[in-house]
Amino acid sequence: MAGGGGEAGMCAVFDPPLQGLQLVQQGAEARLYRGQFLGRAAVVKLRFPKRYRHPALEERLSRRRTAQEARSLLRCRRAGISAPVVYFVDYISNCIYLEDIIGSTTVRDYITSVQQSGKDTSNLFLLAEKIGEVLARMHDEDLIHGDLTTSNMLLRPPVEELDLVLIDFGLSFISGLPEDKGVDLYVLEKAFLSTHPNTDTLFEALLKKYSTTSKKSSPVIKKLDEVRLRGRKRSMVG
Amino acid sequence: MQHFTHQLELFPDCSVTLVLFNDVKNAVALRKKAMEGSIDGALINPAMIVDPFQILVATNKAVHLHRIGKMKTRTLNAEIIFNLSPNNNISDALKKFGISDNDSAVIIVLIEDKEKTVNLEGIISQVEGQQVSLAELNKITDIAKVKKMYKLTPQEEKIGTLLDGIICRMSTKDIA
């Protein structure tokens, strides 16, 4: 698979022509690479073509998600929410070149390791509050992440400082609706509780901090309660 | 040699050279030469530059768009200058980030690839000024002017550097 990077349109199929390129992760949506870009450590997110999609849809969808992601990252930063700096967006191969947060740990890995080590878990409560606070600020900007999980939150080193960075805004959008914010939190709740057993009180602390930080939280929490009543094996008797 | 050269990772045949000059006396003539094409380089106002990375990002994007035939301006050099701007107004960008007749400092950006070689000495000899190391840039940058141009929010300044904010705006201005 030697780089066919010279041909426009073919770039998406091959690895982006970056030196010292290292495949870090293969997701359902995109591949993540690590390498040097203009002398800096960077992460490259490549949305590769999905053969099962109709080509016209494929092109539009990939481009839209790439653009949305870049837009949301800027919006986050303008609001003072830590997210990676966007270095370059290639709309031909649908690649985003981002700042590499060196030495970062996902919140997922951090929670897991603290639980496993049996160490003092009070920092986890502080972390939960930090997350609640950041999400409240994000939602107050009417920014919906769309894919909130503990794998989409990073901690800069040293982890104990709880310096949170949000990533992966591919499914993000702008909305002021409490329903959309409630669903955003619901997605996180499901991901959180299924990935990290016995963390109900942690998540409660997260929501509590969210409520006190966000100015528009009460309709959102109300919607969250409603959304919880939907879904499998749930009685929708209002 | 006090200039700074970087080979573009995405376009390995292409290398970018940045040269900084101070005490420039012939800005008027240089501007004319650049517009005529007798100097094939982008002449940038160093007061608006906080770090060479800023120019590299602008250049990388310009080369990318040039190669796919999607530049917004007419020449590669104009495109580099345009990409430095946080907005999409071309003439405003060229005015603010390009050099003016009374400027006493200039950065010249030179691109070299398979089709074009760069005559560094030839270009340097045309500048009536002192070539200095890019490390001197921090003495020339006008931080207040830069902040005014890029309009970083106070919250943004807390989570990153001025350069971070600048780069974000440069890279997302076409879809923001």
Side-chain angles (χ1 to χ4, degrees):
Chain A
M1 251 212 194
E7 299 154 275
M10 288 296 279
C11 298
V13 183
F14 302 99
D15 289 2
L18 206 59
Q19 281 172 0
L21 187 85
Q22 204 184 65
L23 178 62
V24 169
Q25 203 184 62
Q26 163 98 38
E29 173 89 17
R31 268 182 224 122
L32 215 59
Y33 297 87
R34 201 161 248 142
Q36 285 286 309
F37 179 70
L38 303 177
R40 294 209 170 188
V43 160
V44 188
K45 185 169 178 177
L46 166 68
R47 276 187 171 78
F48 52 87
K50 315 292 180 303
R51 298 280 174 229
Y52 55 80
R53 285 186 194 145
H54 189 285
L57 282 176
E58 166 55 43
E59 208 205 293
R60 283 192 205 181
L61 197 55
S62 281
R63 167 170 293 170
R64 178 178 302 181
R65 296 230 174 118
T66 301
Q68 271 299 83
E69 178 151 26
R71 205 180 277 131
S72 296
L73 287 167
L74 175 65
R75 211 174 161 111
C76 258
R77 291 193 67 92
R78 291 178 74 124
I81 296 162
S82 223
V85 175
V86 181
Y87 292 157
F88 174 53
V89 188
D90 178 350
Y91 294 102
I92 302 297
S93 5
N94 290 313
C95 288
I96 302 189
Y97 293 74
L98 301 161
E99 170 193 7
D100 184 6
I101 317 268
I102 308 195
S104 65
T105 311
T106 62
V107 165
R108 176 193 177 138
D109 290 342
Y110 179 64
I111 295 178
T112 307
S113 83
V114 171
Q115 284 185 321
Q116 276 176 357
S117 73
K119 266 189 283 191
D120 177 25
T121 54
S122 60
N123 223 29
L124 288 186
F125 278 91
L126 282 173
L127 174 62
E129 289 190 336
K130 194 69 201 284
I131 298 173
E133 196 189 314
V134 170
L135 294 184
R137 288 202 337 251
M138 187 183 75
H139 282 174
D140 279 355
E141 290 296 313
D142 288 347
L143 184 59
I144 310 295
H145 185 281
D147 191 13
L148 285 173
T149 68
T150 51
S151 306
N152 284 339
M153 299 175 191
L154 302 180
L155 289 168
R156 280 187 214 267
V159 280
E160 292 73 26
E161 306 233 324
L162 302 182
D163 190 354
L164 203 67
V165 183
L166 295 183
I167 60 169
D168 203 353
F169 285 81
L171 296 175
S172 64
F173 59 98
I174 306 291
S175 169
L177 296 178
E179 160 92 20
D180 292 327
K181 296 175 186 179
V183 169
D184 216 18
L185 292 175
Y186 183 65
V187 168
L188 178 60
E189 185 177 55
K190 294 273 332 131
F192 202 99
L193 299 177
S194 62
T195 311
H196 308 287
N198 309 315
T199 49
D200 301 64
T201 47
L202 259 189
F203 198 78
E204 256 171 52
L206 193 161
L207 285 182
K208 191 150 178 254
K209 190 68 180 183
Y210 177 95
S211 303
T212 56
T213 310
S214 165
K215 301 155 197 139
K216 322 172 200 172
S217 63
S218 78
V220 175
I221 302 296
K222 196 157 170 285
K223 276 293 174 184
L224 173 60
D225 291 334
E226 274 173 44
V227 171
R228 279 177 180 147
L229 291 174
R230 299 183 206 149
R232 298 178 73 211
K233 304 178 185 174
R234 298 218 153 266
S235 164
M236 284 207 74
V237 177
Chain B
M1 279 295 178
Q2 299 159 309
H3 59 272
F4 170 102
T5 299
H6 188 90
Q7 187 189 40
L8 293 181
E9 291 85 352
L10 292 168
F11 310 100
D13 59 303
C14 190
S15 80
V16 185
T17 300
L18 272 58
V19 201
L20 174 61
F21 297 89
N22 216 345
D23 302 320
V24 175
K25 308 275 191 290
N26 64 338
V28 181
L30 289 174
R31 265 193 81 201
K32 195 152 175 275
K33 290 190 193 194
M35 286 204 275
E36 283 168 359
S38 49
I39 290 184
D40 187 7
L43 271 53
I44 293 175
N45 179 1
M48 299 303 289
I49 306 298
V50 307
D51 190 291
F53 185 65
Q54 189 181 349
I55 298 185
L56 288 180
V57 168
T59 307
N60 179 79
K61 187 174 175 182
V63 172
H64 167 77
L65 292 173
H66 177 67
R67 298 216 171 171
I68 57 173
K70 295 219 162 150
M71 290 195 299
K72 299 274 159 70
T73 65
R74 290 202 207 129
T75 66
L76 180 58
N77 292 323
E79 193 79 9
I80 294 172
I81 301 176
F82 172 62
N83 284 338
L84 289 167
S85 173
N87 63 52
N88 291 300
N89 184 327
I90 299 178
S91 45
D92 182 64
L94 298 180
K95 228 187 299 182
K96 298 265 165 63
F97 290 90
I99 60 164
S100 314
D101 289 344
N102 52 6
D103 279 345
S104 60
V106 63
I107 292 182
I108 302 189
V109 184
L110 300 158
I111 308 237
E112 189 164 39
D113 59 22
K114 305 190 287 270
E115 284 158 28
K116 207 173 23 152
T117 49
V118 144
N119 178 4
L120 191 56
E121 290 308 321
I123 302 224
I124 292 176
S125 64
Q126 293 185 65
V127 180
E128 280 171 31
Q130 183 74 4
Q131 189 199 347
V132 295
S133 148
L134 259 95
E136 301 285 306
L137 185 59
N138 58 10
K139 297 184 193 149
I140 303 175
T141 310
D142 185 340
I143 299 279
K145 230 171 146 199
V146 171
K147 283 192 177 181
K148 194 164 177 227
M149 185 72 208
Y150 287 100
K151 300 193 183 85
L152 263 69
T153 65
Q155 308 96 296
E156 210 175 339
E157 296 197 41
K158 288 195 199 129
I159 54 157
T161 63
L162 177 58
L163 181 62
D164 288 338
I166 290 173
I167 301 299
C168 264
R169 275 161 182 71
M170 283 169 55
S171 61
T172 59
K173 73 174 183 186
D174 19 20
I175 44 104

